[in-house]
Amino acid sequence: MAEDDVQTLVASVQLPSLLRDVYEGKLRLPAVPHEPWGDERRLKLFESIYRRLPAGSIVVWRTSQYLECRGSIGPVTLREPAETRIREYLMDGIGLVEALFQELGQVFWNEEESARRQVVGSEGPTAFVTFDLNTQTFRLSRPGDVLQPAECQMSRLLDATWQHAFSDTLRSLPMGQQLQSRFSRLVDTFYEALVTVILVVADDTKDLQALLALRGTALPLQLLERGPATLRWYCDTCGQSIRHSRDGWVEWLIRTEGSSRLGRGFRLVHHQPASPRPQGCQYDGDQEYRRDRSIVCDVALDDFLGHDGLTYLLEVLSRGELPQEHVVEMIKRLHTPGYERARFHVQAAAAEGIIEPNMAPGFYSQGDIARVLDWADDEDRKP
């Protein structure tokens, strides 16, 4: 995308489609601090939508640039987005989308996430929006509050199964047919609600910055990474992605022979709670000790990231306990932007003439890594 190739488009998207794009990672939320919407502001938002007033507008940036993004909203873990060269980021309107998702997005949540939201003091709002079909008014309720029979939980509104069950319940109440009609109108209103999307298509940030300034916000330049970036890591045990650094674990084995400490098996894996495998991805300490009296050494992935993390890895290298090439490879995986994914494709890309490396085998410039990643995307290569 050329730097001077800038387009600004205005469109509308239906509210359920917007929430689904956020949940599925198609619309990414930059990891910028922002002030969450308070309870009263959320309540007014729902009242406005019910009266068919505009729900608001958001700014979306479509670009090949990389931004560090959030992986969750409140207690809900967002799906891992597909790795694509062109990405869409929500640059303004995060509070609006977050407020709508936390209330209406429950249709996408799993049981554990729904349960966490019911715990007072957990992430996200502790008050919930409900709609009284008798008075046709919204109110805030809290965990433990008893709802009236004709009171609708807005968090369940987009759940088709719940809609049918709740409508059947209304039929047995006084004025049941009228309540059902009001409920149908409520559902239709939120399904049909539109959010205005201002889409900026560009790699250059000048026009985006100007637009955001007019809206009283700023581009989070501290999150902007020029060139390739490491968006996730890959587990050496199961091969699946490690999306968040908190879900990663670095481990190795040490065996003592006389006065020497001999290390092996330096690897990056899923931390036990995040592993997709029932038995986990980490070493079994008891099994390794029985095999050759090796003990497991491990460090959270977060501890090996950043400037201090690089120094920590260099200190591990200096001990000489682990094979040098294994530690150097881990340093590249954790500290060379884009290398973690590119390493799977560099040989095939070189064979195709995409790159002509001019460094020692296993070492690549940022330009070569960027070309490998673009080629892998074009060829739809995984990971």
Side-chain angles (χ1 to χ4, degrees), residues 212-241:
L212 293 177
L214 289 173
R215 293 170 61 92
T217 187
L219 179 67
L221 291 174
Q222 72 276 16
L223 301 181
L224 185 61
E225 297 186 40
R226 299 282 179 177
T230 298
L231 303 179
R232 59 180 64 86
W233 301 267
Y234 296 92
C235 177
D236 291 329
T237 298
C238 70
Q240 297 189 38
S241 63

Side-chain angles (χ1 to χ4, degrees), residues 9-268:
L9 310 172
V10 179
S12 296
V13 62
Q14 288 186 309
L15 184 52
S17 296
L18 174 65
L19 299 181
R20 181 170 294 280
D21 283 350
V22 170
Y23 178 70
E24 293 182 348
K26 296 176 182 177
L27 179 58
R28 310 177 192 214
L29 277 59
V32 293
H34 70 282
E35 189 68 29
W37 283 24
D39 292 340
E40 292 301 324
R41 190 175 182 186
R42 291 190 299 117
L43 192 62
K44 290 179 181 178
L45 170 63
F46 279 82
E47 290 172 346
S48 296
I49 295 174
Y50 183 66
R51 284 185 252 158
R52 296 186 181 273
L53 297 174
S57 62
I58 61 176
V59 174
V60 174
W61 185 26
R62 181 181 294 166
T63 179
S64 61
Q65 302 281 12
Y66 293 89
L67 287 180
E68 180 184 348
C69 291
R70 296 168 54 180
S72 62
I73 295 180
V76 182
T77 299
L78 304 177
R79 281 189 179 176
E80 185 174 326
E83 292 200 47
T84 58
R85 191 171 62 87
I86 304 299
R87 303 163 186 82
E88 291 189 350
Y89 300 101
L90 178 61
M91 304 306 299
D92 189 37
I94 293 177
L96 169 69
V97 170
E98 184 180 67
L100 290 169
F101 186 87
Q102 287 186 326
E103 205 62 57
L104 296 172
Q106 185 165 326
V107 67
F108 306 120
W109 304 1
N110 62 37
E111 292 182 6
E112 180 184 348
E113 291 164 342
S114 296
R116 286 207 301 269
R117 190 176 190 265
Q118 303 298 322
V119 179
V120 176
S122 65
E123 292 181 88
T126 56
F128 309 90
V129 179
T130 62
F131 182 76
D132 190 324
L133 293 165
N134 281 313
T135 62
Q136 300 184 71
T137 57
F138 292 91
R139 77 174 180 92
L140 294 168
S141 63
R142 299 187 181 277
D145 287 357
V146 177
L147 301 185
Q148 298 302 312
E151 199 166 8
C152 168
Q153 295 175 260
M154 294 303 294
S155 62
R156 309 291 297 277
L157 190 68
L158 301 183
D159 185 334
T161 302
W162 179 85
Q163 290 171 16
H164 293 303
F166 186 68
S167 183
D168 289 343
T169 301
L170 294 174
R171 185 183 300 122
S172 63
L173 299 178
M175 300 174 55
Q177 188 172 357
Q178 185 175 6
L179 292 176
Q180 283 183 312
S181 177
R182 290 175 180 175
F183 179 61
S184 295
R185 177 179 180 271
L186 177 70
V187 172
D188 290 343
T189 298
F190 278 82
Y191 264 105
E192 296 167 1
L194 298 176
V195 176
T196 300
V197 178
I198 303 172
L199 177 65
V200 179
V201 184
D203 274 349
D204 182 55
T205 62
K206 182 175 63 176
D207 291 284
L208 177 63
Q209 285 179 298
L211 174 61
L212 293 177
L214 289 173
R215 293 170 61 92
T217 187
L219 179 67
L221 291 174
Q222 72 276 16
L223 301 181
L224 185 61
E225 297 186 40
R226 299 282 179 177
T230 298
L231 303 179
R232 59 180 64 86
W233 301 267
Y234 296 92
C235 177
D236 291 329
T237 298
C238 70
Q240 297 189 38
S241 63
I242 301 171
R243 185 179 176 193
H244 304 291
S245 59
R246 65 175 179 269
D247 295 335
W249 210 250
V250 180
E251 59 180 4
W252 61 99
L253 300 169
I254 291 290
R255 178 168 54 89
T256 301
E257 287 190 3
S259 60
S260 300
R261 286 167 54 88
L262 306 177
R264 62 179 176 86
F266 196 41
R267 64 184 195 176
L268 170 61

